[in-house]
Amino acid sequence: PCPPRRQCRMGVTFTLSDKAYVKLVLHALKFPFRNVNGVLVGRVAGDNTVEVLDAIPMLHSSLDVTPNVEMALEQAAAHAALTPDPTDSAKTLTLVGYYHANELKADDRFGKNAGKIADAVANGVDQGKACALLIDPARLGLAMQESVTPSTGGTGAPVVTLLVRKGVGWERAADQAGELAVRGNGCTKAVSCYQDGMAAKLVDFDDHLDDLTKDWRNLHLDDAIAQSLA
């Protein structure tokens, strides 16, 4: 049996869909000088795999644990619970992780408030099989640079670092390449989606609270990303 706080997760691999990866990158690029965060939606696919199928952008303002954070988490969880599992129509998806980007390029910390939000998500995941993704601004900047100098070929490497829950905190996974897999061509497509103006179309929960006509579910953006990835 798992101990309290649901920490059983040895040997788990997290797979990140193109759509989820592109959306979290677009969120960071839309607000390059702000802290941004969001949650990851997916399914526990077995003993050793968690599939991240979507990302829901939450905030680009204060990341304090405020009523806005709690409201965003509740709305995101409810939305996931209404989304059918693509492999089993009798089941629905759930929140399986959290993503975060710091406002300062040199800041690669996963701070206290980020950890609290990630904990809130992880507490609802089966056997603690949750992850946190920290967007690396240096790698994101390199990806942007490579996009304008295509002769370099580009690395196509993910711009996120995988963190897993250890004890009462979050630590960088020891085997980044082995425990995190970005499916398809999301790594090479994310910047091109940004260059096509898709970041401007992305709506996070902060945007929604400023203008309730804006849909934080980003259904319109999902269609645009799907067309770009096709």
Side-chain angles (χ1 to χ4, degrees), residues 29-113:
L29 289 173
K30 181 176 181 179
F31 301 105
F33 305 112
R34 298 283 191 92
N35 295 307
V36 302
N37 71 1
V39 289
L40 305 171
V41 176
R43 57 188 291 270
V44 177
D47 291 339
N48 300 314
T49 303
V50 175
E51 296 179 352
V52 179
L53 303 175
D54 198 3
I56 298 179
M58 292 203 309
L59 307 177
H60 64 267
S61 56
S62 170
L63 299 189
D64 293 338
V65 182
T66 64
N68 283 358
V69 172
E70 295 174 359
M71 190 185 311
L73 285 173
E74 289 176 1
Q75 293 290 321
H79 175 64
L82 293 173
T83 304
D85 183 330
T87 65
D88 185 348
S89 60
K91 297 180 180 179
T92 60
L93 301 182
T94 187
L95 302 187
V96 295
Y98 169 79
Y99 73 85
H100 177 91
N102 292 312
E103 62 180 336
L104 300 177
K105 279 191 174 182
D107 188 355
D108 64 352
R109 297 171 299 171
F110 194 68
K112 181 178 179 180
N113 287 332

Side-chain angles (χ1 to χ4, degrees), residues 138-150:
R139 278 187 272 166
L140 184 56
L142 180 60
M144 293 293 291
Q145 182 179 13
E146 289 175 343
S147 72
V148 297
T149 55

Side-chain angles (χ1 to χ4, degrees), residues 18 29 44 52 73 81 103-104 109 117-118 159 168 172-173 178 180 197 204 213 219 221-222:
D18 283 350
L29 289 173
V44 177
V52 179
L73 285 173
E103 62 180 336
L104 300 177
R109 297 171 299 171
I117 302 172
V159 301
V168 296
R172 286 166 171 77
L180 176 66
D204 65 13
T213 66
L219 304 180
L221 181 62
D222 289 348

